[in-house]
Amino acid sequence: MFNAASVAYLWTNEDEHKTGSQGFYVEVYSDKVLVRGRDFKTGTWVDAAQYEVAYPVGNVY
């Protein structure tokens, strides 16, 4: 499970409002899940928000 706050309101670390729209783009593969931050307003990736979750392939006991 990935939890993300609403993309309707963006705030900086200095507690200032910022315009835009950001969220996560999720790619599912046979051996991992990639979660990439996306700025939907500018159409760019958020480099600081890139995560990879690997999981075992085959039988797990």
Side-chain angles (χ1 to χ4, degrees):
M1 178 179 86
F2 294 95
N3 188 16
S6 170
V7 296
Y9 304 103
L10 300 177
W11 296 91
T12 67
N13 289 339
E14 291 77 29
D15 201 28
E16 296 176 2
H17 180 260
K18 181 179 174 182
T19 61
S21 177
Q22 296 178 345
F24 288 122
Y25 186 88
V26 179
E27 300 174 28
V28 180
Y29 298 94
S30 62
D31 62 341
K32 65 186 171 189
V33 175
L34 296 177
V35 180
R36 302 172 70 194
R38 185 80 173 160
D39 186 319
F40 298 113
K41 183 176 180 182
T42 63
T44 59
W45 298 109
V46 179
D47 292 332
Q50 308 249 349
Y51 310 97
E52 180 177 323
V53 180
Y55 46 88
V57 177
N59 294 330
V60 178
Y61 299 96

